[in-house]
Amino acid sequence: MKTISLFGAWNLAPVHTDVESRIPKTVKKIPMNLPGDVHSALLAKKLIPDPYNGKNELYIQWVGRSDWKVERTIDIPASFIANRQFITLERVDTFVHVLINGIEVGFCNNYFNKWRFEVTEQLHVGKNVITLQFDSAERHAIKINKTLPYPVPCSQWPVGAPHRNLIRKVQCHAGWDWGPCIMAFGVYGSIGLQSTDIGFIDYVNCTTLRNKKNWTANITATITSFKDFTTVVTANLSSENCNLLENKKKIECEQSQKVHFAEGENLVHFVIPVDNPELWYPAGCRPEDDDAITKFGESLHYDNPLYNLTVYFGKSGDNCKTIKTAFRTLKTVSQIDDAGRSLYFEVNGRRVFAKGSNWIPADALPARITCEKIDYLLTSLIKSNQNCIRVWGGGMYESNDFYELCDRKGILVWQDCMFACSMYPATPDFLDTVRKEIHHQVKRLQHHPCIALWCGNNEDVGALGWYEESKKNPGRYLVAYDRLNEGVIGNTIRELDPDRMFWPSSPCGGPDDFEDTWHSDGKGDMHFWSVWHEKKPFEAYLDIKPRFVSEFGYQSFSSLEEVKSYASDDQLNLTSPVMEYHQRSVGGNSIILENFSRYFRFPENFISMLYLSQVQQALAIKTAVEYWRSLMPHCMGAIYWQLNDVWPVASWSSIEYSGKWKLLHYAVRHFNAPIAVLPILKNEKLSISVINEGRNILNANLTIHFYAFNGVEKLCKTLPVSVQGDKVVTVFETSIAELPFLPNECFLFAELDCGSFTVSNTLFLAKQKECQILKPGLSVSVKENTKANLGTYEITLTAKYPAFYTALETSVKGLFSDNMLTVLPGVPCKVTFIPDSLNKLISLNEFEKMLTVKSLRDTYN
């Protein structure tokens, strides 16, 4: 097979249609790269304003309502024309006419599908013009809506495109309660020409089965043949970097068979025995992690061993396809029990508590989504002691890079299908395009060891009760839901990937259970939004005993540096037009401010409000996760909303759009640590649990300090602690009334001495606003860390009185080794700043000027 990549330079121009008047006259032919998107190309030529700045999003809506075309000329050699020719496109967004030399050869109408069109009659030797004409997806949705036999409603946002649920496009491109409406066009995956006289290897899939130390790799290749013929097909399985490995770790197996192909789709099967391969594990669960957890309280975060699997046939093996796979057993367990119905992951025979976050697309402008950006976000997830990511159903099936990175890093993937917060049509055309979409995506992704389960949708069961139309005629919409979700999505997944669980919806009680589990905590997975949307206090997290929480969250504002990327100085006020515009959750700013008054003394200025919102967010999620981890194994998953942002905005994310960690992300690293102290204050009862996620026994000493706010110790108790592996034990309980002081007079500081390391936790016994916190008199000293990389600084914090939620911040790109700290009198706290490798080196003096330190008491007089 010969291939010609169509990556690179194209020319972009508007298409003259009935909406031509919306297109500014200055917009003519401009360069555009593929992979890439139309909005980014226009922005690069300054033909549209930056949609992330101010309210500029409103002024670029005409782009998504217009039609566009990209075009390029390519030379085709005679050798390429000798066989049949095809054009193949992946991740093409969304309604696209494909033309060769002015002749339409195909039409794409589903972003999530793979498209291949024969162009043998249209290509010729010499110069050829290839054109992709993009129709407005927004206008297509409006047109489809007029043809429906009955209304099919969906959730919409103040700035949004209508009827996004009627088209197979990234749903959040039409706007969401954390993202802009940018109805992108473009090609973001592979695009190229192929010449072949035999056919294509479309997919290579692999499942691994274990029999003690011996394994088999069960391989299936999906091959499209143009004719009946017989040939030899070979499968080769080998360790990555095979030539660099020790013989005892090296695996290289090959198997060939003679196969008779019939014209059309053929399945070729191999069963290859493999002796004692290295196994795949979730992050923190490798056998090597156990000793590291015992010695350091941290796992090692090694990359997982992956194996190259190549299937090939034909002359010199020129028809070939290579994937990467791994060896592991993975079960999603959901069983009816006395408490309801469980849900957890079991990998290589070991239960795993899913510590994770929800993933949305890495950017609202697809051209900005790079492998480097994805790697940074997933590395940040691992650094914060997470092991799971939920790919949310309003985004997209992610790129191959994303899943390979999850494979390497040991990140379990809860994979939603791309349906969210809506009713969806059940027309024959819609069901047919979804069937093809699911077929492609399952075959594309099935070999990835990271994928733990397939989920049918996000909140579509709950959405049956959201709209007047579905509430008035529930039978009609329930039948349509079942035809799509079970009849097409579920049946296709169960047929193509029977070894993985198909979970019907998130949230739900499990297979064949149509109950919406938003407020039901006994079975399946739960989305718990009462603390945010219903404005309940953080203590409401302690009122439920969930089995698995796949969504819960609390918002914060971004850092001042991030806010200034979209708001001018005159807009630096939480009720200014721009600050309210960059808050997409209705009433969101008011919820944040209202909670300030619930727990804290009101902050006195804008910067303090930004800071306190991040403290508040971190405390909300900390309250939930620490309690739910203390319920293990009853509860076996806590996946917060959300890891990342698509643009700079007030949101539930733990990482800002720019990549800066919020205080929440630093807190996640502590409350998800493999060994952690979990103090819980519930109904005037204080309990302290210790969790040990290593498999070695933990023997330690727990010291419980009760300090007055001037730093004087009022009570101290030390207890020996012994916790078996993968267990949580409650080691201390008391009533608040039994303490020899009022709850607003002291705070709790718990230290777990594990010998070679110590973990600690702080808990207020009363609302912070009720406590007489003293100004801590923080002192900060900075010195260069000459033993580490250039640009690394060691910061020492000391305090005269206890300093709470002490936050370090700098505009220098990089990470602090810790943040949101409790600094006690007489106990210096050392933090290292590790710069981004791309940073321009700055002097110690410059870094000191750019460093700010703030604690809770600094927010008010």
PDB file of all heavy atoms in Angstrom, residues 709-740:
ATOM      1  N   PHE A 709      -5.858  28.880  69.037  1.00  0.00           N
ATOM      2  CA  PHE A 709      -5.489  29.658  67.851  1.00  0.00           C
ATOM      3  C   PHE A 709      -4.277  30.560  68.086  1.00  0.00           C
ATOM      4  O   PHE A 709      -3.792  31.189  67.142  1.00  0.00           O
ATOM      5  CB  PHE A 709      -6.708  30.443  67.337  1.00  0.00           C
ATOM      6  CG  PHE A 709      -7.742  29.533  66.734  1.00  0.00           C
ATOM      7  CD1 PHE A 709      -8.832  29.114  67.474  1.00  0.00           C
ATOM      8  CD2 PHE A 709      -7.588  29.057  65.439  1.00  0.00           C
ATOM      9  CE1 PHE A 709      -9.773  28.249  66.919  1.00  0.00           C
ATOM     10  CE2 PHE A 709      -8.513  28.190  64.885  1.00  0.00           C
ATOM     11  CZ  PHE A 709      -9.619  27.782  65.625  1.00  0.00           C
ATOM     12  N   ASN A 710      -3.774  30.588  69.332  1.00  0.00           N
ATOM     13  CA  ASN A 710      -2.486  31.254  69.570  1.00  0.00           C
ATOM     14  C   ASN A 710      -1.328  30.268  69.506  1.00  0.00           C
ATOM     15  O   ASN A 710      -0.183  30.607  69.786  1.00  0.00           O
ATOM     16  CB  ASN A 710      -2.497  31.964  70.928  1.00  0.00           C
ATOM     17  CG  ASN A 710      -2.690  30.995  72.085  1.00  0.00           C
ATOM     18  OD1 ASN A 710      -2.808  29.786  71.895  1.00  0.00           O
ATOM     19  ND2 ASN A 710      -2.740  31.551  73.295  1.00  0.00           N
ATOM     20  N   GLY A 711      -1.648  28.990  69.159  1.00  0.00           N
ATOM     21  CA  GLY A 711      -0.617  27.965  69.001  1.00  0.00           C
ATOM     22  C   GLY A 711      -0.345  27.133  70.231  1.00  0.00           C
ATOM     23  O   GLY A 711       0.467  26.202  70.191  1.00  0.00           O
ATOM     24  N   VAL A 712      -1.010  27.439  71.332  1.00  0.00           N
ATOM     25  CA  VAL A 712      -0.793  26.689  72.578  1.00  0.00           C
ATOM     26  C   VAL A 712      -1.556  25.366  72.507  1.00  0.00           C
ATOM     27  O   VAL A 712      -2.735  25.335  72.166  1.00  0.00           O
ATOM     28  CB  VAL A 712      -1.251  27.505  73.797  1.00  0.00           C
ATOM     29  CG1 VAL A 712      -1.156  26.672  75.080  1.00  0.00           C
ATOM     30  CG2 VAL A 712      -0.411  28.772  73.921  1.00  0.00           C
ATOM     31  N   GLU A 713      -0.870  24.295  72.834  1.00  0.00           N
ATOM     32  CA  GLU A 713      -1.496  22.973  72.793  1.00  0.00           C
ATOM     33  C   GLU A 713      -2.396  22.795  74.020  1.00  0.00           C
ATOM     34  O   GLU A 713      -1.953  22.955  75.152  1.00  0.00           O
ATOM     35  CB  GLU A 713      -0.433  21.882  72.763  1.00  0.00           C
ATOM     36  CG  GLU A 713      -0.998  20.485  72.549  1.00  0.00           C
ATOM     37  CD  GLU A 713       0.104  19.454  72.373  1.00  0.00           C
ATOM     38  OE1 GLU A 713       0.760  19.118  73.386  1.00  0.00           O
ATOM     39  OE2 GLU A 713       0.323  19.018  71.225  1.00  0.00           O
ATOM     40  N   LYS A 714      -3.677  22.470  73.786  1.00  0.00           N
ATOM     41  CA  LYS A 714      -4.643  22.289  74.870  1.00  0.00           C
ATOM     42  C   LYS A 714      -4.858  20.828  75.222  1.00  0.00           C
ATOM     43  O   LYS A 714      -5.239  20.505  76.349  1.00  0.00           O
ATOM     44  CB  LYS A 714      -5.982  22.912  74.465  1.00  0.00           C
ATOM     45  CG  LYS A 714      -5.946  24.420  74.316  1.00  0.00           C
ATOM     46  CD  LYS A 714      -5.681  25.096  75.651  1.00  0.00           C
ATOM     47  CE  LYS A 714      -5.782  26.600  75.547  1.00  0.00           C
ATOM     48  NZ  LYS A 714      -5.545  27.261  76.841  1.00  0.00           N
ATOM     49  N   LEU A 715      -4.623  19.950  74.259  1.00  0.00           N
ATOM     50  CA  LEU A 715      -4.833  18.524  74.504  1.00  0.00           C
ATOM     51  C   LEU A 715      -4.023  17.754  73.472  1.00  0.00           C
ATOM     52  O   LEU A 715      -3.921  18.159  72.313  1.00  0.00           O
ATOM     53  CB  LEU A 715      -6.323  18.176  74.365  1.00  0.00           C
ATOM     54  CG  LEU A 715      -6.748  16.734  74.683  1.00  0.00           C
ATOM     55  CD1 LEU A 715      -6.498  16.399  76.156  1.00  0.00           C
ATOM     56  CD2 LEU A 715      -8.228  16.534  74.339  1.00  0.00           C
ATOM     57  N   CYS A 716      -3.457  16.630  73.914  1.00  0.00           N
ATOM     58  CA  CYS A 716      -2.660  15.821  73.002  1.00  0.00           C
ATOM     59  C   CYS A 716      -2.845  14.352  73.363  1.00  0.00           C
ATOM     60  O   CYS A 716      -2.847  13.999  74.548  1.00  0.00           O
ATOM     61  CB  CYS A 716      -1.185  16.210  73.079  1.00  0.00           C
ATOM     62  SG  CYS A 716      -0.114  15.228  71.991  1.00  0.00           S
ATOM     63  N   LYS A 717      -2.997  13.525  72.352  1.00  0.00           N
ATOM     64  CA  LYS A 717      -3.176  12.103  72.590  1.00  0.00           C
ATOM     65  C   LYS A 717      -2.412  11.343  71.511  1.00  0.00           C
ATOM     66  O   LYS A 717      -2.526  11.668  70.321  1.00  0.00           O
ATOM     67  CB  LYS A 717      -4.670  11.750  72.539  1.00  0.00           C
ATOM     68  CG  LYS A 717      -4.994  10.320  72.934  1.00  0.00           C
ATOM     69  CD  LYS A 717      -6.497  10.100  72.942  1.00  0.00           C
ATOM     70  CE  LYS A 717      -6.871   8.685  73.361  1.00  0.00           C
ATOM     71  NZ  LYS A 717      -6.500   8.391  74.755  1.00  0.00           N
ATOM     72  N   THR A 718      -1.623  10.343  71.881  1.00  0.00           N
ATOM     73  CA  THR A 718      -0.871   9.529  70.927  1.00  0.00           C
ATOM     74  C   THR A 718      -1.367   8.089  70.997  1.00  0.00           C
ATOM     75  O   THR A 718      -1.519   7.523  72.089  1.00  0.00           O
ATOM     76  CB  THR A 718       0.636   9.582  71.215  1.00  0.00           C
ATOM     77  OG1 THR A 718       1.082  10.942  71.069  1.00  0.00           O
ATOM     78  CG2 THR A 718       1.406   8.715  70.229  1.00  0.00           C
ATOM     79  N   LEU A 719      -1.613   7.509  69.823  1.00  0.00           N
ATOM     80  CA  LEU A 719      -2.156   6.160  69.731  1.00  0.00           C
ATOM     81  C   LEU A 719      -1.319   5.320  68.782  1.00  0.00           C
ATOM     82  O   LEU A 719      -0.922   5.800  67.708  1.00  0.00           O
ATOM     83  CB  LEU A 719      -3.597   6.193  69.181  1.00  0.00           C
ATOM     84  CG  LEU A 719      -4.628   7.025  69.925  1.00  0.00           C
ATOM     85  CD1 LEU A 719      -5.878   7.162  69.064  1.00  0.00           C
ATOM     86  CD2 LEU A 719      -4.972   6.380  71.254  1.00  0.00           C
ATOM     87  N   PRO A 720      -1.033   4.077  69.126  1.00  0.00           N
ATOM     88  CA  PRO A 720      -0.428   3.180  68.136  1.00  0.00           C
ATOM     89  C   PRO A 720      -1.486   2.770  67.113  1.00  0.00           C
ATOM     90  O   PRO A 720      -2.650   2.547  67.454  1.00  0.00           O
ATOM     91  CB  PRO A 720       0.034   1.994  68.980  1.00  0.00           C
ATOM     92  CG  PRO A 720      -0.895   1.982  70.147  1.00  0.00           C
ATOM     93  CD  PRO A 720      -1.240   3.415  70.432  1.00  0.00           C
ATOM     94  N   VAL A 721      -1.066   2.662  65.868  1.00  0.00           N
ATOM     95  CA  VAL A 721      -1.989   2.347  64.790  1.00  0.00           C
ATOM     96  C   VAL A 721      -1.418   1.196  63.980  1.00  0.00           C
ATOM     97  O   VAL A 721      -0.225   1.202  63.635  1.00  0.00           O
ATOM     98  CB  VAL A 721      -2.204   3.574  63.871  1.00  0.00           C
ATOM     99  CG1 VAL A 721      -2.978   3.188  62.625  1.00  0.00           C
ATOM    100  CG2 VAL A 721      -2.917   4.684  64.627  1.00  0.00           C
ATOM    101  N   SER A 722      -2.250   0.213  63.669  1.00  0.00           N
ATOM    102  CA  SER A 722      -1.857  -0.877  62.786  1.00  0.00           C
ATOM    103  C   SER A 722      -2.989  -1.095  61.792  1.00  0.00           C
ATOM    104  O   SER A 722      -4.134  -1.344  62.196  1.00  0.00           O
ATOM    105  CB  SER A 722      -1.587  -2.154  63.582  1.00  0.00           C
ATOM    106  OG  SER A 722      -1.151  -3.195  62.720  1.00  0.00           O
ATOM    107  N   VAL A 723      -2.656  -0.960  60.507  1.00  0.00           N
ATOM    108  CA  VAL A 723      -3.674  -1.068  59.455  1.00  0.00           C
ATOM    109  C   VAL A 723      -3.200  -2.074  58.405  1.00  0.00           C
ATOM    110  O   VAL A 723      -2.105  -1.926  57.850  1.00  0.00           O
ATOM    111  CB  VAL A 723      -3.954   0.300  58.782  1.00  0.00           C
ATOM    112  CG1 VAL A 723      -5.110   0.171  57.791  1.00  0.00           C
ATOM    113  CG2 VAL A 723      -4.259   1.370  59.822  1.00  0.00           C
ATOM    114  N   GLN A 724      -4.010  -3.074  58.157  1.00  0.00           N
ATOM    115  CA  GLN A 724      -3.702  -4.050  57.113  1.00  0.00           C
ATOM    116  C   GLN A 724      -3.728  -3.378  55.742  1.00  0.00           C
ATOM    117  O   GLN A 724      -4.286  -2.287  55.564  1.00  0.00           O
ATOM    118  CB  GLN A 724      -4.724  -5.192  57.146  1.00  0.00           C
ATOM    119  CG  GLN A 724      -4.742  -5.990  58.442  1.00  0.00           C
ATOM    120  CD  GLN A 724      -3.503  -6.850  58.597  1.00  0.00           C
ATOM    121  OE1 GLN A 724      -3.008  -7.406  57.636  1.00  0.00           O
ATOM    122  NE2 GLN A 724      -3.002  -6.958  59.825  1.00  0.00           N
ATOM    123  N   GLY A 725      -3.141  -4.049  54.745  1.00  0.00           N
ATOM    124  CA  GLY A 725      -3.135  -3.504  53.400  1.00  0.00           C
ATOM    125  C   GLY A 725      -4.529  -3.413  52.812  1.00  0.00           C
ATOM    126  O   GLY A 725      -5.406  -4.243  53.080  1.00  0.00           O
ATOM    127  N   ASP A 726      -4.744  -2.355  52.033  1.00  0.00           N
ATOM    128  CA  ASP A 726      -6.032  -2.111  51.369  1.00  0.00           C
ATOM    129  C   ASP A 726      -7.177  -2.021  52.377  1.00  0.00           C
ATOM    130  O   ASP A 726      -8.292  -2.489  52.129  1.00  0.00           O
ATOM    131  CB  ASP A 726      -6.338  -3.193  50.333  1.00  0.00           C
ATOM    132  CG  ASP A 726      -5.558  -3.000  49.047  1.00  0.00           C
ATOM    133  OD1 ASP A 726      -5.192  -1.851  48.737  1.00  0.00           O
ATOM    134  OD2 ASP A 726      -5.298  -4.001  48.354  1.00  0.00           O
ATOM    135  N   LYS A 727      -6.903  -1.408  53.525  1.00  0.00           N
ATOM    136  CA  LYS A 727      -7.923  -1.278  54.562  1.00  0.00           C
ATOM    137  C   LYS A 727      -7.979   0.145  55.085  1.00  0.00           C
ATOM    138  O   LYS A 727      -7.027   0.924  54.960  1.00  0.00           O
ATOM    139  CB  LYS A 727      -7.635  -2.225  55.735  1.00  0.00           C
ATOM    140  CG  LYS A 727      -7.636  -3.703  55.392  1.00  0.00           C
ATOM    141  CD  LYS A 727      -9.035  -4.199  55.064  1.00  0.00           C
ATOM    142  CE  LYS A 727      -9.026  -5.698  54.815  1.00  0.00           C
ATOM    143  NZ  LYS A 727     -10.371  -6.208  54.435  1.00  0.00           N
ATOM    144  N   VAL A 728      -9.112   0.468  55.688  1.00  0.00           N
ATOM    145  CA  VAL A 728      -9.255   1.716  56.426  1.00  0.00           C
ATOM    146  C   VAL A 728      -9.775   1.357  57.809  1.00  0.00           C
ATOM    147  O   VAL A 728     -10.652   0.500  57.954  1.00  0.00           O
ATOM    148  CB  VAL A 728     -10.198   2.701  55.699  1.00  0.00           C
ATOM    149  CG1 VAL A 728     -11.577   2.119  55.474  1.00  0.00           C
ATOM    150  CG2 VAL A 728     -10.285   4.028  56.430  1.00  0.00           C
ATOM    151  N   VAL A 729      -9.197   1.982  58.837  1.00  0.00           N
ATOM    152  CA  VAL A 729      -9.547   1.662  60.224  1.00  0.00           C
ATOM    153  C   VAL A 729      -9.846   2.955  60.970  1.00  0.00           C
ATOM    154  O   VAL A 729      -9.081   3.926  60.884  1.00  0.00           O
ATOM    155  CB  VAL A 729      -8.394   0.909  60.931  1.00  0.00           C
ATOM    156  CG1 VAL A 729      -8.734   0.662  62.391  1.00  0.00           C
ATOM    157  CG2 VAL A 729      -8.114  -0.416  60.232  1.00  0.00           C
ATOM    158  N   THR A 730     -10.949   2.973  61.680  1.00  0.00           N
ATOM    159  CA  THR A 730     -11.260   4.102  62.564  1.00  0.00           C
ATOM    160  C   THR A 730     -10.517   3.889  63.880  1.00  0.00           C
ATOM    161  O   THR A 730     -10.712   2.870  64.562  1.00  0.00           O
ATOM    162  CB  THR A 730     -12.767   4.212  62.813  1.00  0.00           C
ATOM    163  OG1 THR A 730     -13.434   4.410  61.559  1.00  0.00           O
ATOM    164  CG2 THR A 730     -13.088   5.381  63.744  1.00  0.00           C
ATOM    165  N   VAL A 731      -9.651   4.846  64.230  1.00  0.00           N
ATOM    166  CA  VAL A 731      -8.760   4.651  65.380  1.00  0.00           C
ATOM    167  C   VAL A 731      -9.087   5.566  66.556  1.00  0.00           C
ATOM    168  O   VAL A 731      -8.535   5.390  67.650  1.00  0.00           O
ATOM    169  CB  VAL A 731      -7.285   4.865  64.947  1.00  0.00           C
ATOM    170  CG1 VAL A 731      -6.873   3.808  63.934  1.00  0.00           C
ATOM    171  CG2 VAL A 731      -7.065   6.264  64.377  1.00  0.00           C
ATOM    172  N   PHE A 732      -9.977   6.541  66.340  1.00  0.00           N
ATOM    173  CA  PHE A 732     -10.290   7.487  67.421  1.00  0.00           C
ATOM    174  C   PHE A 732     -11.699   7.997  67.223  1.00  0.00           C
ATOM    175  O   PHE A 732     -12.107   8.326  66.094  1.00  0.00           O
ATOM    176  CB  PHE A 732      -9.304   8.647  67.414  1.00  0.00           C
ATOM    177  CG  PHE A 732      -9.589   9.709  68.445  1.00  0.00           C
ATOM    178  CD1 PHE A 732      -9.223   9.527  69.774  1.00  0.00           C
ATOM    179  CD2 PHE A 732     -10.235  10.890  68.094  1.00  0.00           C
ATOM    180  CE1 PHE A 732      -9.484  10.504  70.724  1.00  0.00           C
ATOM    181  CE2 PHE A 732     -10.497  11.881  69.033  1.00  0.00           C
ATOM    182  CZ  PHE A 732     -10.119  11.680  70.360  1.00  0.00           C
ATOM    183  N   GLU A 733     -12.468   8.058  68.299  1.00  0.00           N
ATOM    184  CA  GLU A 733     -13.819   8.611  68.248  1.00  0.00           C
ATOM    185  C   GLU A 733     -14.094   9.334  69.561  1.00  0.00           C
ATOM    186  O   GLU A 733     -13.698   8.881  70.633  1.00  0.00           O
ATOM    187  CB  GLU A 733     -14.861   7.507  68.052  1.00  0.00           C
ATOM    188  CG  GLU A 733     -14.836   6.839  66.688  1.00  0.00           C
ATOM    189  CD  GLU A 733     -15.906   5.763  66.558  1.00  0.00           C
ATOM    190  OE1 GLU A 733     -15.805   4.737  67.275  1.00  0.00           O
ATOM    191  OE2 GLU A 733     -16.822   5.958  65.762  1.00  0.00           O
ATOM    192  N   THR A 734     -14.784  10.450  69.451  1.00  0.00           N
ATOM    193  CA  THR A 734     -15.220  11.168  70.643  1.00  0.00           C
ATOM    194  C   THR A 734     -16.361  12.089  70.264  1.00  0.00           C
ATOM    195  O   THR A 734     -16.574  12.411  69.081  1.00  0.00           O
ATOM    196  CB  THR A 734     -14.063  11.975  71.269  1.00  0.00           C
ATOM    197  OG1 THR A 734     -14.480  12.483  72.547  1.00  0.00           O
ATOM    198  CG2 THR A 734     -13.677  13.158  70.390  1.00  0.00           C
ATOM    199  N   SER A 735     -17.069  12.532  71.265  1.00  0.00           N
ATOM    200  CA  SER A 735     -18.096  13.550  71.070  1.00  0.00           C
ATOM    201  C   SER A 735     -17.463  14.925  71.266  1.00  0.00           C
ATOM    202  O   SER A 735     -16.615  15.110  72.154  1.00  0.00           O
ATOM    203  CB  SER A 735     -19.234  13.342  72.065  1.00  0.00           C
ATOM    204  OG  SER A 735     -20.078  14.470  72.096  1.00  0.00           O
ATOM    205  N   ILE A 736     -17.866  15.868  70.479  1.00  0.00           N
ATOM    206  CA  ILE A 736     -17.354  17.233  70.639  1.00  0.00           C
ATOM    207  C   ILE A 736     -17.666  17.753  72.034  1.00  0.00           C
ATOM    208  O   ILE A 736     -16.867  18.473  72.650  1.00  0.00           O
ATOM    209  CB  ILE A 736     -17.966  18.154  69.555  1.00  0.00           C
ATOM    210  CG1 ILE A 736     -17.391  17.814  68.171  1.00  0.00           C
ATOM    211  CG2 ILE A 736     -17.710  19.622  69.878  1.00  0.00           C
ATOM    212  CD1 ILE A 736     -15.928  18.097  68.019  1.00  0.00           C
ATOM    213  N   ALA A 737     -18.819  17.360  72.560  1.00  0.00           N
ATOM    214  CA  ALA A 737     -19.219  17.826  73.897  1.00  0.00           C
ATOM    215  C   ALA A 737     -18.278  17.321  74.980  1.00  0.00           C
ATOM    216  O   ALA A 737     -18.195  17.914  76.074  1.00  0.00           O
ATOM    217  CB  ALA A 737     -20.651  17.379  74.192  1.00  0.00           C
ATOM    218  N   GLU A 738     -17.560  16.222  74.713  1.00  0.00           N
ATOM    219  CA  GLU A 738     -16.662  15.656  75.717  1.00  0.00           C
ATOM    220  C   GLU A 738     -15.299  16.328  75.749  1.00  0.00           C
ATOM    221  O   GLU A 738     -14.503  16.064  76.661  1.00  0.00           O
ATOM    222  CB  GLU A 738     -16.479  14.153  75.442  1.00  0.00           C
ATOM    223  CG  GLU A 738     -17.754  13.351  75.649  1.00  0.00           C
ATOM    224  CD  GLU A 738     -17.589  11.892  75.258  1.00  0.00           C
ATOM    225  OE1 GLU A 738     -16.495  11.536  74.751  1.00  0.00           O
ATOM    226  OE2 GLU A 738     -18.536  11.112  75.445  1.00  0.00           O
ATOM    227  N   LEU A 739     -15.016  17.181  74.795  1.00  0.00           N
ATOM    228  CA  LEU A 739     -13.728  17.872  74.780  1.00  0.00           C
ATOM    229  C   LEU A 739     -13.715  18.973  75.836  1.00  0.00           C
ATOM    230  O   LEU A 739     -14.747  19.632  76.076  1.00  0.00           O
ATOM    231  CB  LEU A 739     -13.463  18.464  73.393  1.00  0.00           C
ATOM    232  CG  LEU A 739     -13.301  17.439  72.262  1.00  0.00           C
ATOM    233  CD1 LEU A 739     -13.194  18.149  70.911  1.00  0.00           C
ATOM    234  CD2 LEU A 739     -12.072  16.564  72.493  1.00  0.00           C
ATOM    235  N   PRO A 740     -12.572  19.233  76.456  1.00  0.00           N
ATOM    236  CA  PRO A 740     -12.507  20.199  77.570  1.00  0.00           C
ATOM    237  C   PRO A 740     -12.387  21.647  77.106  1.00  0.00           C
ATOM    238  O   PRO A 740     -11.745  22.461  77.774  1.00  0.00           O
ATOM    239  CB  PRO A 740     -11.262  19.749  78.336  1.00  0.00           C
ATOM    240  CG  PRO A 740     -10.377  19.181  77.277  1.00  0.00           C
ATOM    241  CD  PRO A 740     -11.295  18.515  76.293  1.00  0.00           C
TER     242      PRO A 740
END
